[in-house]
Amino acid sequence: MSSLLISNVNVYAENEEIPGGAILVRDGKIEEVFRGRPEELPEGTEEIDGSSLNALPGFIDGHIHGAAGADVMDATGETLGKMAGFLPGEGTTAFLATTITQSHDQIEHALQNIAVHPDGPGVAEIVGIHLEGPFVEKSKAGAQPAEYIIEPDAELFRRWQELSGGRIKAVTMAPEHDRSGAFIRELSSAGVVVSAGHTGTGFAGMKEAVVHGVSQVTHLCNAMSGIHHRDVGVVGAAFLLDELKAELIADGIHVSREMMQLIVDNVGPGRLLLITDSMRAKGLEPGDYELGGQPVRVTEDRAVLADGTLAGSILKMNEGARRMLSLEGVTMRDIVKMASENPARQLGLFNRKGSIRAGKDADIVLVDDDLNVKWTICRGGVAYEG
């Protein structure tokens, strides 16, 4: 049995912080968390001296299209392998491979590719699929190709879920296109997170959608109705309805710093889910790329379509977390909630991910106080050393 000791770290354990603590990892799991370095260790135990770094549970990105030149819609094993190998460098140890609105054939190829992708320690784990579209509102398409947008179709979703091997864990859709709520109820009752996004519905529509089973909002403030003094819209629903979790792209571009502060103050770290929504250009030089078959121009800080529409991001998880940590009142424990614990709970993974506790997957990221990533452990294997 392989074992690893991570010593001399400030452990952000599930229910407490342990300064100068240590974590014993064995066969991919957290075996024990210690106050100080244990005197006896299993024979052959390797050791990482954390040099007073912070040990956080690995980040979980619930909405990511691509990175390092790869995109989920490429539908190749090499693509998914590139993403899984790259993401630990930003502290991400698990993610939802996210599709985009496209032809049925292209979506199905992507789903089948994910279904058969081999998995193992030492890289970020694909914990499921986020189906973004095609059941969205055309007037709020954003970077979703409008020609492939369709009405909610339960039979089609069942086919796609079967092709994916049951791996679709979240679906972004426009609830105004499911007035009866039948589609939402079917997905929700099957354990799929239904997230309102690319939607023009108002506050009343969101209240009704929550009753049917919508439990999340996709990339808060983007491609949705904003706050107005006569209808607070989807953004207001995220503020006011405790049943909703809300994704947030904390790059300072999709949402301004001032709005991020309002979001933290009104939604709170307990209901926020940090995501990147990144596309293939993340980690590469500025230049010309593509997303969903559309040309994308990437500069030093953003990705846009020809008309200037934001086309995903090039954000890294630790960068978004750092930006959140700089806001008033936000603590490192809040970062753990928003980047690790909340997504694990939302996806039904908290029994094995999202916190540092004996028995859970050894998904651990060591960061300094500015959230620079120094080490990332994925299911017990060293995936990144900075």
Side-chain angles (χ1 to χ4, degrees):
M1 294 191 295
S2 61
S3 57
L4 170 70
L5 181 72
I6 304 170
S7 61
N8 190 21
V9 286
N10 299 316
V11 182
Y12 281 79
E14 185 167 302
N15 296 310
E16 62 178 328
E17 182 182 346
I18 305 173
I23 306 166
L24 180 62
V25 172
R26 204 169 193 179
D27 291 333
K29 299 287 185 180
I30 297 169
E31 182 159 294
E32 193 169 352
V33 180
F34 300 92
R35 299 180 185 279
R37 188 183 187 282
E39 294 183 3
E40 296 185 6
L41 293 170
E43 185 178 347
T45 298
E46 297 182 7
E47 184 170 354
I48 293 174
D49 182 347
S51 304
S52 299
L53 294 169
N54 303 296
L56 312 182
F59 303 149
I60 301 172
D61 191 347
H63 188 152
I64 173 171
H65 297 278
D71 188 288
V72 171
M73 297 302 290
D74 293 342
T76 69
E78 180 184 7
T79 289
L80 297 176
K82 271 188 182 180
M83 291 177 65
F86 178 85
L87 295 180
E90 59 194 69
T92 296
T93 57
F95 66 102
L96 291 185
T98 305
T99 60
I100 192 172
T101 298
Q102 260 298 337
S103 70
H104 290 190
D105 282 349
Q106 285 184 281
I107 291 174
E108 290 177 3
H109 286 151
L111 297 178
Q112 289 172 308
N113 182 54
I114 298 164
V116 300
H117 182 70
D119 212 3
V123 295
E125 181 180 357
I126 301 174
V127 291
I129 297 164
H130 183 156
L131 192 72
E132 186 180 15
F135 314 119
V136 294
E137 164 56 36
K138 284 187 178 181
S139 68
K140 297 290 185 180
Q144 302 286 319
E147 63 267 31
Y148 297 113
I149 291 174
I150 59 175
E151 293 295 305
D153 186 330
E155 184 176 349
L156 180 62
F157 174 78
R158 290 184 212 117
R159 169 180 165 79
W160 286 353
Q161 186 66 295
E162 183 177 354
L163 288 174
S164 76
R167 302 202 71 189
I168 300 175
K169 303 300 182 185
V171 174
T172 289
M173 55 90 66
E176 65 267 35
H177 289 281
D178 182 31
R179 295 292 185 187
S180 72
F183 182 78
I184 295 170
R185 286 194 299 273
E186 178 170 330
L187 270 59
S188 179
S189 64
V192 176
V193 173
V194 184
S195 189
H198 295 277
T199 171
T201 197
F203 182 70
M206 280 301 297
K207 286 183 72 176
E208 184 178 358
V210 167
V211 171
H212 294 315
V214 168
S215 62
Q216 185 173 299
V217 170
T218 297
H219 43 51
L220 184 60
C221 297
N222 290 273
M224 63 181 57
S225 54
I227 293 177
H228 186 274
H229 60 281
R230 294 194 181 94
D231 188 339
V232 297
V234 179
V235 175
F239 279 28
L240 295 171
L241 303 180
D242 289 342
E243 298 91 339
L244 291 172
K245 296 289 194 300
E247 293 182 348
L248 182 62
I249 309 170
D251 61 357
I253 297 165
H254 283 80
V255 181
S256 72
R257 178 180 176 84
E258 296 78 12
M259 189 64 189
M260 285 192 289
Q261 186 69 62
L262 282 174
I263 289 168
V264 166
D265 292 344
N266 288 276
V267 179
R271 292 197 290 118
L272 288 173
L273 308 164
L274 294 189
I275 61 160
T276 64
D277 192 17
S278 66
M279 49 88 71
R280 71 168 76 244
K282 175 162 68 174
L284 302 181
E285 294 296 317
D288 294 317
Y289 297 89
E290 68 83 34
L291 177 68
Q294 305 163 108
V296 175
R297 182 65 181 172
V298 175
T299 64
E300 293 289 346
D301 65 352
R302 69 192 67 197
V304 296
L305 301 180
D307 65 1
T309 299
L310 289 171
S313 83
I314 51 174
L315 178 68
K316 296 179 179 179
M317 277 290 279
N318 67 309
E319 294 171 347
R322 182 186 302 129
R323 194 167 281 107
M324 295 299 288
L325 188 62
S326 73
L327 298 176
E328 184 178 346
V330 177
T331 66
M332 191 69 81
R333 175 60 70 180
D334 293 330
I335 298 302
V336 170
K337 287 181 182 178
M338 295 184 286
S340 308
E341 179 180 338
N342 294 348
R345 289 186 184 277
Q346 185 75 338
L347 296 170
L349 298 171
F350 196 64
N351 63 319
R352 67 184 184 95
K353 295 188 183 292
S355 71
I356 295 177
R357 190 189 73 200
K360 288 198 169 188
D361 289 353
D363 289 348
I364 301 162
V365 56
L366 304 187
V367 298
D368 63 20
D369 290 342
D370 293 321
L371 284 159
N372 295 301
V373 177
K374 302 300 183 181
W375 295 81
T376 304
I377 314 299
C378 294
R379 287 164 290 164
V382 175
Y384 176 80
E385 180 181 353

